[in-house]
Amino acid sequence: MARWYIIHAYSGFENKVRDAIIAEAERLGLSEGVEEVEVPTETVTEIKRGKKVQIERKFMPGYVLAKLNMTDDVYHLVKNTPKVTGFLGNNNKPQPISEKEAARYFGGVEEARSAPKKEISVDYEIGDQVKVLDGPFASFNGLVEELDFDKQKVKVSVSIFGRATPVELDFEQVELVK
């Protein structure tokens, strides 16, 4: 019976580990022992140069989930895969997670895939000089005073008629002046 296991891999090499495990299982004829190998990812919206960009980010960096029929051959196949440091468990002994945990975990991943997260990262911070791209203050420059990630708003101090005036704008309405 196949169970879900968490494999610890070098951070940044999760996709290569997944591909290597699948390829090596086919090469050795152990495909029935390796049912699924997944790298959990989520879609995140970031603001880059004033534009919203959807990127895929790893849900758990450094970990790969695999549904395995654990035998000695499958254990050694995974353990001897380059960039794999071992299994999650006691004394590096593979500890399966329950189907309920896996379903709950993958439910969160599927939810994250279907609806992009509200988490947004911006390439400017408080005190930076920014240029307004959109709205009535387009082409004005100002200083970032506040960042509100919950509302996705930025408060910029813009000089109008020689006076500093705070203006609240959306994240995508401003860009960092270089």
Side-chain angles (χ1 to χ4, degrees):
M1 183 178 111
R3 310 255 330 249
W4 284 101
Y5 294 89
I6 299 175
I7 301 166
H8 190 258
Y10 290 2
S11 189
F13 290 91
E14 297 89 348
N15 292 330
K16 287 184 181 181
V17 165
R18 178 195 59 212
D19 297 342
I21 290 172
I22 292 169
E24 193 66 10
E26 288 176 11
R27 191 181 74 78
L28 296 174
L30 294 173
S31 297
E32 74 282 347
V34 179
E35 286 189 14
E36 274 184 77
V37 183
E38 295 288 330
V39 177
T41 59
E42 60 185 341
T43 304
V44 178
T45 305
E46 287 189 352
I47 306 292
K48 297 271 186 183
R49 297 184 184 162
K51 295 187 176 104
K52 284 186 179 182
V53 179
Q54 301 276 337
I55 63 161
E56 287 285 315
R57 183 182 293 163
K58 290 180 179 62
F59 206 61
M60 290 176 26
Y63 294 97
V64 178
L65 276 88
K67 191 167 188 176
L68 308 170
N69 290 315
M70 190 56 72
T71 62
D72 287 344
D73 291 336
V74 172
Y75 172 81
H76 290 295
L77 161 90
V78 173
K79 188 78 170 119
N80 295 330
T81 302
K83 311 290 188 228
V84 170
T85 59
F87 286 91
L88 208 60
N90 290 339
N91 297 328
N92 224 5
K93 181 177 177 254
Q95 190 75 31
I97 60 173
S98 69
E99 284 292 326
K100 187 178 177 184
E101 282 181 276
R104 186 179 71 211
Y105 178 76
F106 281 110
V109 172
E110 291 303 319
E111 201 174 280
R113 282 186 186 155
S114 64
K117 284 219 168 188
K118 293 289 183 196
E119 180 183 325
I120 290 185
S121 66
V122 292
D123 54 355
Y124 47 83
E125 51 192 49
I126 296 173
D128 285 349
Q129 183 82 18
V130 293
K131 179 180 180 182
V132 180
L133 301 172
D134 192 21
F137 302 102
S139 77
F140 278 76
N141 285 355
L143 285 174
V144 176
E145 290 183 346
E146 266 181 51
L147 293 169
D148 187 348
F149 288 96
D150 294 332
K151 295 179 183 176
Q152 298 182 8
K153 299 279 186 186
V154 58
K155 189 179 280 187
V156 178
S157 179
V158 179
S159 179
I160 303 172
F161 304 121
R163 297 184 67 173
T165 307
V167 179
E168 193 170 280
L169 302 162
D170 292 331
F171 282 158
E172 62 267 9
Q173 286 183 291
V174 297
E175 75 175 354
L176 186 64
V177 174
K178 291 175 173 69

